[in-house]
Amino acid sequence: MQTQRGITIPLIGVGHRTVSIAVLLGLLWCGLTALADDAKWQNLSSKKGDLPAPPGGSTMQTGALAGDFDNDGISDFILGFRQKPPSLVWYRRMASGWDQYVIDKDYLTIEAGGAVYDIDGDGDLDVVFGGDWQSAQVWWWENPAPDFDKQTPWKRHLIKKDGKNQHHDQVFGDFLGTGKSQLAFWNQGAKTIFLAEIPDNPRQADGWPLTPIYTGSAGEEGRSGFKYAEGMSAYDIDLDGKVDLLAGNTWFKQTGGKQFKAIRIAEVGGLIFAGYFKPGKYQQIVISPGDADGPLRWYECTGNPEMPADLVGHDLLERNTIHCHSLQLGDINRDGHLDIFAAELAKWHEQQTEPDNPGATGWMFYGDGQGNFRKTELVKGQGWHEARLRDFDGDGDLDVLNKPYTWETPRVDVWLQNGTGPAKGTGASQSYRGPVGLQLYSLRDIFSKNVPLGMQFTRNFGFVEVELAGTYGVPADKFRAMLAAYGLKPIANHYPYESYAKDPESIAREAKSLGLQYAGCAWIPHQGDFNEKNCREVISVFNKAGEVLARHGLKFFYHNHGYEFQPFGQGTLFDLLVTETKPEFVTCEMDVFWTVHPGHDPVKLLQRYPNRWELFHIKDMRKGTKTGLLTGSTAVTNDVAIGTGQINVKAALREAQRIGLKHYFLEDESPTVVEQVPQSLKYLESLSW
């Protein structure tokens, strides 16, 4: 343990360096057309034959969800329909484009909204949708991965089977602090928000336990004839360590157990999200009117967040929006500041042929991180409904999924940032074998203060895969649930050497509880120079630990750290460690920084042991930093943005790909990590590996 500035920080073996980390502002996102200032966009549409047309001929397209449903590192999407079967269709991203799989071939009256989560805990994303005004049910569909068949529907299960109708919007979050996420959902017919707890065996359950947590009008009741509220998201708004709920126009502060305090933010509400548009103690909130006309505003707290009078609104437009049913947040131009995307419906009356709003518009609002926005009109005359933002082509940047509700349907569009060229940098593709993740040790100061906030910021960078650096006092099962709630997938964790020496079984149990594939070690305690005696003791410990982990379906790895390159025989002690550990039980993670710092070439080291590496730390070293040192430590300021230092990262990555490394993690331990990570991602995207 090491204490700095009053914060107790566990050193998990990732590195013996501490860092002060500012808050990253913004989610990675993408814009729409060539009208955008910072990117070029290519539109693919089923109307042009670029995408398979939605099957069944339904002209009422309600739901849209995005996620990596086949775990290949590239996002897919799912569309829901309510007029004609099939009710749910999965667009699976393949090497040559998208292919259609029917999730549910039956007629169901699917409502807008929906959610994704690993409900049954088997490592893949399942799907939730609710029924509309014609249905009292909420369902979830069991992902059959890896056994996908185009003609075989996913198994449907009930969450809610009776009661009142209409269920527009759902969200998962650990609202109860139990370590396992719950599902919050609107039941508009009952004017109630329910909290549904996932049963121990959800596949066998006939409905989930439901608790009403709010009954009232937290939305649009009484306006323009819309008698229901909508919109739902989960955040720790006041940073008290509890996951709160945003729904309609209201912040539901978690006050303990199943109790929530309703704090109304705006007169009208629909879609609602939170993030940092400017520095401040509390997150800011943005609200669009959804299925009504009304202002598009963001709100900041000027005092007590529980006092509505202290929540000050700022208009983003000079006029009211018209059925603004697409709202997303993100760093569109990757300048480190949170931006806003909003877009209007063109048509919502099912029976008429002409659009209700022929001038429907989509906008980007580029934030400067200080609460100021630059408005750009992206597209006019196209209807937007439930737009979703993900990397749909595996090139490392985020793209846009859109489908209209009732205008020019059936139809689906994808807007690809930077077109359909070869995948680059951070995405999974034929040339690159997996997405770049984040080593969470990079954000240890944030995690040590507030774990949910650390996860939110990790997602804000745009990462999905993560390598852990401990759980910061949070039980393993709860930490896993929290990661899932933020859309983060844990791959590996670093554990202390002493734990492997004393009780590798306990590591295996925790690693399984976390849902990991790998458990590793990155620091071997030693006094003075690392020596042969140290090394041979380590070999024995690693072989035994690897055997224990293998029995649990896990892989053990060692992360090089510089000190183990002491000369030995015709090579180094690292050579001894690699050659005398058992390949079936011990693999390695290359840290390029701690390969170059002791004076070695990462490319040559990868080539020397091509079958012993599976994981990779992407880092760079400040130009002029002295190398050839065997200390395993250096100043944190020597970590610099990728591509600006003295390490040939491109060559190392190219060789890592050639020999088939499986997972890549960006690690940045510098005091300026927040500014450097976006720079690093831009550089990685520029590479043709």
Side-chain angles (χ1 to χ4, degrees):
M1 303 291 286
Q2 180 168 327
T3 302
Q4 180 170 323
R5 297 180 294 279
I7 303 168
T8 302
I9 304 173
L11 299 179
I12 312 297
V14 180
H16 286 265
R17 304 187 283 174
T18 55
V19 61
S20 178
I21 301 177
V23 173
L24 171 72
L25 314 176
L27 298 167
L28 297 178
W29 195 77
C30 303
L32 292 178
T33 74
L35 296 174
D37 295 349
D38 302 289
K40 295 181 179 180
W41 301 88
Q42 180 178 359
N43 174 230
L44 305 181
S45 177
S46 62
K47 288 294 185 182
K48 301 184 298 181
D50 304 317
L51 299 166
S58 177
T59 60
M60 297 184 194
Q61 302 180 156
T62 49
L65 292 174
D68 184 6
F69 299 103
D70 55 1
N71 288 329
D72 67 348
I74 307 177
S75 289
D76 318 299
F77 60 87
I78 289 171
L79 301 182
F81 311 91
R82 70 172 171 211
Q83 185 189 40
K84 298 178 181 179
S87 53
L88 285 183
V89 176
W90 171 32
Y91 279 69
R92 186 182 186 185
R93 188 63 165 94
M94 312 295 286
S96 59
W98 284 267
D99 210 350
Q100 285 182 347
Y101 290 69
V102 173
I103 292 179
D104 201 313
K105 63 182 181 180
D106 293 338
Y107 170 70
L108 297 173
T109 56
I110 299 287
E111 181 58 281
V116 297
Y117 185 73
D118 183 7
I119 292 171
D120 50 8
D122 63 353
D124 50 52
L125 292 175
D126 306 304
V127 176
V128 171
F129 276 106
D132 67 359
W133 55 272
Q134 305 166 84
S135 172
Q137 297 183 332
V138 178
W139 313 275
W140 75 275
W141 286 263
E142 179 185 337
N143 190 330
D147 301 318
F148 299 118
D149 186 301
K150 290 185 179 182
Q151 304 305 319
T152 303
W154 297 13
K155 189 173 182 179
R156 184 193 335 138
H157 305 269
L158 275 173
I159 295 174
K160 174 178 174 286
K161 57 184 178 179
D162 51 29
K164 299 291 186 178
N165 295 351
Q166 187 100 24
H167 314 86
H168 194 312
D169 296 304
Q170 302 82 30
V171 69
F172 282 94
D174 185 10
F175 303 104
L176 304 182
T178 62
K180 188 176 183 180
S181 287
Q182 303 84 43
L183 175 70
F185 65 88
W186 277 111
N187 185 181
Q188 280 84 3
K191 297 182 179 180
T192 297
I193 296 174
F194 284 100
L195 201 64
E197 297 177 67
I198 303 174
D200 291 337
N201 190 346
R203 296 173 180 170
Q204 302 299 321
D206 184 24
W208 296 6
L210 303 180
T211 300
I213 61 172
Y214 173 80
T215 299
S217 62
E220 300 167 355
E221 185 174 5
R223 298 192 75 257
S224 304
F226 292 90
K227 303 295 184 180
Y228 59 88
E230 62 183 30
M232 188 166 282
S233 58
Y235 299 91
D236 181 7
I237 294 296
D238 53 357
L239 308 183
D240 64 353
K242 300 176 182 177
V243 181
D244 307 312
L245 180 67
L246 293 177
N249 59 359
T250 301
W251 166 35
F252 294 91
K253 174 179 168 59
Q254 220 286 352
T255 57
K258 299 180 182 179
Q259 301 300 311
F260 293 80
K261 178 182 179 181
I263 301 159
R264 181 156 297 188
I265 302 167
E267 289 299 315
V268 67
L271 307 182
I272 181 168
F273 298 98
Y276 283 95
F277 306 122
K278 63 183 294 186
K281 183 178 180 181
Y282 306 107
Q283 297 183 78
Q284 293 90 43
I285 296 169
V286 61
I287 302 175
S288 76
D291 278 322
D293 300 350
L296 177 65
R297 287 185 180 137
W298 68 276
Y299 297 81
E300 64 175 316
C301 177
T302 59
N304 183 350
E306 298 185 36
M307 299 296 295
D310 290 344
L311 298 172
V312 178
H314 304 276
D315 286 329
L316 289 163
L317 285 169
E318 305 80 20
R319 67 167 176 88
N320 281 349
T321 59
I322 302 171
H323 284 230
C324 189
H325 211 290
S326 286
L327 179 68
Q328 299 282 283
L329 309 184
D331 185 0
I332 298 171
N333 53 6
R334 296 195 177 191
D335 64 352
H337 307 306
L338 187 61
D339 312 312
I340 299 170
F341 166 69
E344 301 173 309
L345 276 165
K347 179 175 176 286
W348 50 89
H349 287 103
E350 291 89 353
Q351 303 306 319
Q352 68 184 43
T353 57
E354 297 300 315
D356 300 276
N357 179 27
T361 304
W363 302 271
M364 285 182 183
F365 302 89
Y366 292 95
D368 65 355
Q370 299 299 316
N372 306 303
F373 292 89
R374 172 174 57 87
K375 181 184 70 174
T376 299
E377 186 176 292
L378 300 174
V379 62
K380 194 169 186 176
Q382 179 175 328
W384 292 84
H385 185 251
E386 301 276 292
R388 303 293 181 182
L389 316 173
R390 290 292 191 279
D391 181 5
F392 292 115
D393 58 359
D395 66 353
D397 52 40
L398 293 164
D399 312 303
V400 183
L401 164 71
N402 182 50
K403 50 88 188 163
Y405 172 44
T406 58
W407 190 38
E408 297 186 337
T409 54
R411 174 176 179 170
V412 61
D413 290 77
V414 173
W415 296 82
L416 296 178
Q417 185 174 189
N418 299 317
T420 56
K424 303 176 291 184
T426 56
S429 71
Q430 293 179 335
S431 63
Y432 178 64
R433 295 180 174 87
V436 170
L438 181 68
Q439 166 49 256
L440 298 187
Y441 189 72
S442 306
L443 302 179
R444 57 200 175 279
D445 268 8
I446 295 177
F447 272 93
S448 62
K449 297 174 185 177
N450 189 303
V451 171
L453 190 62
M455 292 183 180
Q456 182 177 328
F457 292 158
T458 302
R459 187 60 184 169
N460 287 353
F461 279 119
F463 295 105
V464 174
E465 289 193 352
V466 294
E467 183 179 52
L468 311 186
T471 63
Y472 299 90
V474 178
D477 56 347
K478 182 177 181 180
F479 199 85
R480 178 183 183 181
M482 294 170 71
L483 287 168
Y486 287 94
L488 302 173
K489 182 179 180 180
I491 302 298
N493 191 15
H494 289 197
Y495 292 92
Y497 173 82
E498 296 86 348
S499 298
Y500 287 108
K502 295 177 181 178
D503 189 9
E505 282 284 354
S506 65
I507 293 177
R509 290 192 296 271
E510 181 177 295
K512 292 290 287 185
S513 185
L514 285 166
L516 305 177
Q517 301 174 36
Y518 299 86
C521 177
W523 186 265
I524 302 167
H526 58 279
Q527 294 188 352
D529 292 340
F530 190 73
N531 56 43
E532 182 184 357
K533 183 175 183 293
N534 299 141
C535 191
R536 294 196 180 280
E537 291 174 352
V538 167
I539 291 168
S540 176
V541 170
F542 284 2
N543 281 332
K544 292 178 182 177
E547 186 174 4
V548 170
L549 265 62
R551 291 200 296 267
H552 292 269
L554 299 161
K555 287 189 176 182
F556 172 84
F557 68 90
Y558 176 63
H559 165 301
N560 65 285
H561 219 294
Y563 52 79
E564 66 278 83
F565 290 94
Q566 290 285 346
F568 177 78
Q570 299 299 308
T572 69
L573 289 174
F574 181 80
D575 295 309
L576 177 65
L577 190 154
V578 173
T579 56
E580 295 202 8
T581 51
K582 299 178 181 179
E584 65 268 34
F585 297 140
V586 180
T587 189
C588 295
E589 177 175 60
M590 170 165 288
D591 188 302
V592 293
F593 190 107
W594 295 116
T595 303
V596 173
H597 190 263
H600 290 263
D601 184 343
V603 172
K604 292 181 179 179
L605 193 59
L606 289 166
Q607 292 172 342
R608 192 181 309 162
Y609 304 109
N611 299 317
R612 297 301 301 275
W613 305 96
E614 293 193 18
L615 304 101
F616 192 96
H617 274 187
I618 307 173
K619 305 165 78 170
D620 209 343
M621 182 186 301
R622 184 177 304 279
K623 292 179 179 179
T625 302
K626 187 177 180 180
T627 60
L629 305 177
L630 303 176
T631 60
S633 65
T634 190
V636 296
T637 52
N638 288 332
D639 273 31
V640 295
I642 310 301
T644 67
Q646 62 179 292
I647 298 177
N648 190 343
V649 176
K650 181 178 181 179
L653 288 171
R654 184 183 294 116
E655 184 60 27
Q657 287 188 90
R658 190 189 69 81
I659 65 174
L661 268 71
K662 298 179 179 180
H663 297 278
Y664 301 79
F665 300 100
L666 179 65
E667 185 181 36
D668 190 325
E669 304 180 36
S670 73
T672 54
V673 60
V674 169
E675 293 80 14
Q676 290 184 182
V677 167
Q679 299 175 48
S680 294
L681 291 174
K682 284 183 179 180
Y683 176 78
L684 291 173
E685 291 166 5
S686 73
L687 301 181
S688 295
W689 298 356

